[in-house]
C-alpha cells in the first residue's frame, strides 16, 4: 500500500513525547518511516522555588502538537487522521505528580530539574544501599514527608508526567519499566519495584501513620511489548477536541525520554550506549555486570525491557549555548542584518573546531540550574579567563561545547574506571544537529566512537512510535532487541566518528582546570543571589 492507503486504513503508529522545551508528535507507517509530525514549544516556570509546568499547559501543548501533526497528514496526503493502530506517550523522566482518591492534583508538578531533595535522596541512598538521585519520584515524596507537607497523607496515586497523560487517555495507572525505574528502584529479575526496598520504605515512614503503603500508590510496571490499555472516548477528545480521532487505539506502556532515546538509537542491547544532548544531557550504557559499588554520580535505571543500565544524567547542557546564540542574534540585528538562527548555530559550532584543543585558557560553567553530579544545589552560568588566556570567538565556542559536556565526562570517567565497555555511543539531540561537530567533541569527552543515524533527528517521539509498533507487530517471543535490529535499523545509514587523540588530550586538560575551579562556581552560587 502507498502512504495514503496506509493512513486511510489506520495502519499507522503514533509517538508523542513531552520534552523539556518541546512537545512533539511523530506518525510512522509499518516500515517505521515518519509520515507526519507536529510540535509545540513550551518552557518550564520557576515558581515558589520549584521548576514546574501546569497541567493546563500540558493539555494545551499536547492538543497543539497533535493538531499540527494531523494538519501535516491532511496537507500532505489529503486525508483526515481518524484511526491509529497503536500509540505511546513519553515524557521527561522522574519528577513528582501526586493525586488524591478523587483524581485531584495535590501539589504542583515538580520536574526533574529541581534539586531540592538532597536530604531525602541521601537518606534513601544510605537506607537502600542504592543510589537515589534527587530528581527521582521517591526522593521527592520522601522530601515532602521530611518537610511535613500536609498533602502527603492524602496521596492515593503518585506518577510521572508520562504516566499522568497515559492515565487520562486510557484510565490505566501504569508505567513502562524504564520510566518506572526513575520512580523507585527496579529489580531486573522480576521487572518490578524492588520488594525489599518497598518494605524498607514502608518501615521508614510507618510512624507517620499515613493511610497508604508505597506499593499501593505507585503505577503498575509493564515491559515493552505488553498492552497498556486503549484510548477511551474521553481520551480521544482530550487529545483531539475536533472529534476526528476515533477511540480504540491500543497504547503501549508509557516511557521516559531515556527509554525512547535508547529505542530511537538501537541502544537497548548489552554493551551498547546512547547519549542524548539537548536541554539536559545524559548517557546510558547497558551493563554486562553490576558496578562494584554505589556511586552518587551514576543512576541505575533500565531499558524498556528491564535490562540494567548505568545512567549519567546532567541537568545542564545546551542552555548556555542557546543564550549566547540569542546574544549573537541581537548583535546581527543591531547591525541591521536579519538573523537566520540555523546559520548562527552552524557558525557557532563549526568555528569551535578552529579553537585551541584546550580552549586557550578560557573556563566556562554552564550551570543554569543545580547540578548534583558536581555537588551544586543551584547554578550560576559563569565564564572565567586568566589575563593570559586567548579570548577569541573560536576558543569561546570551543569551551561552550566543552562546558556543555564537562559534567557528563565526570560521570563517564567513573564508568571507565569500572571497566565498563562501550563499543559505540549513539548520539541524538540538538547538540548533534550541526554535522560532525557535536560528534567530534562528544567522542573526545567519552573516549569512544560516537555515531549519529539519519533518523536521530526524530529523536524520542520516533522511539516512542517504534515501541508502539513493536507492541502491535512483534512475532511470538520476539525481543525488542531483535525487532529493532532486524525490522527497524537493518541497512540504516549514519556517520561514526572515533575519538581524536589531540582532542582527547585537550579536553582532558580542560576538565582538570574545570574540576579545580568548581569552588569558584560554588562561591558564585553562594554569593550571587537572585
Amino acid at each position: 500500500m502507498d502512504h495514503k492507503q496506509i493512513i486511510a486504513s489506520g495502519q499507522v503508529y503514533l509517538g508523542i513525547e513531552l520534552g523539556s522545551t518541546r512537545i512533539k508528535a511523530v506518525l510512522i507507517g509499518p516500515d517505521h518511516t515518519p509520515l507526519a509530525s507536529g510540535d509545540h514549544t513550551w518552557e518550564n516556570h520557576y515558581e515558589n522555588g520549584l521548576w514546574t509546568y501546569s497541567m493546563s499547559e500540558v493539555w494545551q501543548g499536547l492538543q497543539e502538537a497533535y493538531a499540527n501533526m494531523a494538519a501535516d497528514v491532511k496537507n500532505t496526503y489529503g486525508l483526515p487522521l481518524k484511526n491509529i493502530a497503536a500509540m505511546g506517550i513519553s515524557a521527561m523522566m522522574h519528577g513528582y505528580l501526586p493525586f488524591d482518591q478523587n483524581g485531584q492534583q495535590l501539589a504542583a508538578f515538580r520536574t526533574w530539574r529541581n534539586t531540592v531533595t538532597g536530604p531525602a535522596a541521601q537518606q534513601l541512598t544510605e537506607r537502600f544501599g542504592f543510589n537515589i538521585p534527587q530528581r527521582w519520584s521517591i526522593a521527592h515524596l520522601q522530601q515532602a514527608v521530611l518537610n511535613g507537607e500536609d498533602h502527603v497523607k492524602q496521596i492515593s496515586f503518585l506518577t510521572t508526567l508520562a504516566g499522568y497523560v497515559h492515565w487520562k487517555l486510557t484510565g490505566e495507572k501504569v508505567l513502562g519499566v524504564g520510566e518506572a525505574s526513575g520512580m523507585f528502584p527496579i529489580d531486573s529479575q522480576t521487572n518490578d519495584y524492588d520488594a525489599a526496598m518497598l518494605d524498607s520504605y514502608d518501615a521508614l515512614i510507618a510512624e507517620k501513620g499515613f493511610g497508604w503503603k508505597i506499593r499501593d500508590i505507585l503505577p503498575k510496571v509493564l515491559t515493552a511489548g505488553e498492552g497498556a490499555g486503549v484510548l477511551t472516548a474521553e481520551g480521544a477528545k482530550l487529545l483531539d477536541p475536533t472529534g476526528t480521532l476515533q477511540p480504540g487505539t491500543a497504547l503501549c506502556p508509557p516511557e521516559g525520554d531515556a527509554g525512547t532515546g535508547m529505542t530511537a538509537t538501537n541502544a537497548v542491547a548489552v554493551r551498547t550506549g546512547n547519549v542524548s544532548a539537548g536541554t539536559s544531557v545524559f548517557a546510558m550504557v547497558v551493563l554486562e555486570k553490576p558496578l562494584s559499588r554505589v556511586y552518587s554520580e551514576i543512576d541505575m535505571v533500565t531499558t524498556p525491557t528491564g535490562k540494567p543500565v548505568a545512567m549519567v544524567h546532567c541537568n545542564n547542557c545546551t542552555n548556555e549555548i542557546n543564550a549566547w546564540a540569542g546574544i549573537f542574534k541581537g548583535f546581527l540585528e543591531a547591525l541591521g542584518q536579519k538573523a537566520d538562527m540555523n546559520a548562527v548555530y552552524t557558525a557557532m559550532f563549526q568555528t569551535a573546531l578552529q579553537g585551541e584543543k584546550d580552549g586557550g585558557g578560557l573556563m566556562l560553567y554552564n550551570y543554569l540550574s543545580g547540578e548534583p553530579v558536581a555537588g551544586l544545589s543551584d547554578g550560576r552560568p559563569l565564564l572565567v579567563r586568566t589575563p593570559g588566556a586567548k579570548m577569541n570567538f573560536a576558543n569561546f565556542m570551543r569551551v561552550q561545547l566543552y562546558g556543555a559536556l564537562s559534567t557528563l565526562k565526570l560521570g563517564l570517567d567513573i564508568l571507565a574506571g569500572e571497566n565498563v565497555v562501550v563499543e559505540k555511543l549513539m548520539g541524538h539531540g540538538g547538540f548533534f544537529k550541526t554535522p560532525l561537530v557535536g560528534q567530534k567533541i562528544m567522542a573526545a569527552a567519552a573516549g569512544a566512537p560516537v555515531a549519529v543515524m539519519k533518523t536521530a533527528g526524530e529523536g524520542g517521539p520516533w522511539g516512542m512510535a517504534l515501541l508502539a509498533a513493536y507492541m502491535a507487530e512483534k512475532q511470538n517471543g520476539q525481543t525488542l532487541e531483535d525487532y529493532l535490529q532486524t525490522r527497524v535499523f537493518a541497512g540504516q545509514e549514519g556517520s561514526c566518528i572515533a575519538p581524536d587523540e589531540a582532542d582527547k588530550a585537550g579536553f582532558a586538560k580542560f576538565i582538570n582546570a574545570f574540576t579545580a575551579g568548581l569552588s569558584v562556581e560554588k562561591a558564585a552560587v553562594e554569593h550571587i543571589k537572585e
Side-chain angles (χ1 to χ4, degrees):
M1 292 189 293
D2 63 21
H3 289 164
K4 193 169 182 178
Q5 291 173 310
I6 287 169
I7 292 166
S9 64
Q11 296 182 45
V12 290
Y13 307 105
L14 176 64
I16 298 178
E17 184 157 284
L18 296 94
S20 300
T21 58
R22 188 172 65 153
I23 302 173
K24 186 174 182 182
V26 172
L27 190 74
I28 67 173
D31 64 353
H32 311 107
T33 300
L35 302 176
S37 65
D39 65 4
H40 167 81
T41 300
W42 68 342
E43 194 58 72
N44 55 191
H45 314 287
Y46 193 64
E47 298 176 358
N48 301 316
L50 293 169
W51 293 101
T52 188
Y53 303 81
S54 71
M55 294 306 101
S56 61
E57 289 177 296
V58 168
W59 293 110
Q60 177 187 345
L62 278 168
Q63 289 168 4
E64 182 172 317
Y66 181 88
N68 289 338
M69 181 275 299
D72 190 15
V73 171
K74 187 71 180 289
N75 294 336
T76 305
Y77 307 103
L79 293 172
L81 182 60
K82 293 183 177 180
N83 295 291
I84 298 171
M87 64 180 287
I89 300 296
S90 172
M92 59 191 92
M93 287 181 71
H94 323 303
Y96 183 73
L97 266 172
F99 298 88
D100 67 15
Q101 61 182 0
N102 299 315
Q104 295 299 307
Q105 188 177 346
L106 292 171
F109 174 37
R110 301 171 188 183
T111 78
W112 59 270
R113 177 167 251 167
N114 289 289
T115 50
V116 295
T117 65
Q122 181 177 351
Q123 179 189 33
L124 294 176
T125 296
E126 292 173 356
R127 185 174 183 89
F128 294 161
F130 187 98
N131 184 39
I132 303 295
Q134 288 203 46
R135 65 188 178 279
W136 279 22
S137 305
I138 188 62
H140 280 283
L141 174 62
Q142 181 59 12
Q143 192 62 52
V145 172
L146 296 177
N147 294 347
E149 297 183 40
D150 288 340
H151 77 268
V152 173
K153 60 179 177 293
Q154 303 174 55
I155 296 176
S156 177
F157 179 46
L158 178 63
T159 191
T160 66
L161 184 56
Y164 163 75
V165 173
H166 183 96
W167 170 39
K168 291 300 180 182
L169 295 181
T170 66
E172 301 290 338
K173 297 177 178 179
V174 300
L175 274 186
V177 64
E179 171 74 330
S181 70
M183 291 198 77
F184 195 94
I186 292 290
D187 179 351
S188 286
Q189 298 300 313
T190 63
N191 285 335
D192 203 351
Y193 304 115
D194 187 287
M197 294 185 197
L198 290 172
D199 290 340
S200 178
Y201 185 72
D202 282 335
L204 175 66
I205 62 168
E207 65 180 25
K208 300 291 184 180
F210 299 135
W212 48 262
K213 299 285 189 183
I214 184 62
R215 55 175 46 84
D216 298 328
I217 66 172
L218 293 174
K220 180 181 178 181
V221 180
L222 300 174
T223 56
E226 292 189 84
V230 298
L231 185 66
T232 63
E234 296 82 2
K237 202 67 183 288
L238 263 178
L239 196 56
D240 179 18
T242 70
T244 305
L245 177 63
Q246 299 301 298
T249 298
L251 271 84
C252 65
E255 267 297 347
D257 50 7
T260 60
M262 283 188 274
T263 304
T265 55
N266 193 23
V268 296
V270 169
R271 295 179 75 146
T272 64
N274 84 100
V275 58
S276 172
T279 305
S280 62
V281 59
F282 55 82
M284 309 187 70
V285 180
V286 186
L287 297 179
E288 295 179 273
K289 59 182 180 180
L291 300 180
S292 65
R293 66 178 183 83
V294 174
Y295 294 93
S296 62
E297 301 90 344
I298 308 295
D299 307 349
M300 292 304 303
V301 291
T302 78
T303 69
T305 58
K307 285 187 170 63
V309 172
M311 178 182 191
V312 183
H313 185 286
C314 311
N315 288 349
N316 302 276
C317 184
T318 59
N319 46 270
E320 197 65 1
I321 296 170
N322 295 338
W324 280 98
I327 294 292
F328 300 141
K329 173 178 181 286
F331 176 67
L332 289 171
E333 290 172 346
L335 292 175
Q337 300 183 31
K338 182 175 175 60
D340 178 339
M341 291 309 292
N342 285 329
V344 169
Y345 277 109
T346 298
M348 291 170 70
F349 272 69
Q350 289 182 343
T351 304
L353 295 186
Q354 300 169 23
E356 295 177 61
K357 300 295 187 181
D358 63 356
L362 306 183
M363 182 50 57
L364 183 133
Y365 297 92
N366 70 332
Y367 298 152
L368 181 66
S369 61
E371 195 60 83
V373 172
L376 290 163
S377 60
D378 236 326
R380 298 291 183 270
L382 191 63
L383 174 67
V384 181
R385 62 190 172 103
T386 61
K390 298 171 185 175
M391 179 71 164
N392 57 49
F393 183 51
N395 284 344
F396 174 77
M397 282 312 307
R398 187 90 178 191
V399 301
Q400 284 283 354
L401 301 193
Y402 279 0
L405 304 183
S406 288
T407 314
L408 179 73
K409 180 167 175 55
L410 299 179
L412 290 176
D413 285 348
I414 292 173
L415 294 182
E418 282 273 348
N419 297 313
V420 172
V421 176
V422 185
E423 295 174 346
K424 183 166 58 179
L425 276 175
M426 304 299 298
H428 59 111
F431 191 82
F432 300 104
K433 188 173 183 180
T434 302
L436 306 182
V437 180
Q439 282 174 266
K440 190 173 176 66
I441 301 298
M442 184 67 76
V450 176
V452 174
M453 308 296 288
K454 286 186 175 180
T455 51
E458 296 296 341
W462 182 64
M464 194 68 243
L466 295 181
L467 289 171
Y470 169 65
M471 178 189 71
E473 293 185 354
K474 69 181 188 299
Q475 305 299 316
N476 289 338
Q478 185 177 29
T479 65
L480 177 62
E481 294 84 347
D482 181 68
Y483 182 85
L484 293 177
Q485 188 63 37
T486 61
R487 295 284 304 278
V488 180
F489 289 95
Q492 282 270 4
E493 294 183 21
S495 66
C496 185
I497 293 180
D500 176 86
E501 290 303 318
D503 286 337
K504 281 177 62 177
F507 205 139
K509 185 176 179 181
F510 176 88
I511 202 70
N512 287 336
F514 180 95
T515 304
L518 274 171
S519 58
V520 178
E521 171 67 15
K522 292 175 181 177
V525 170
E526 182 179 352
H527 296 290
I528 301 175
K529 302 302 181 183
E530 289 280 1

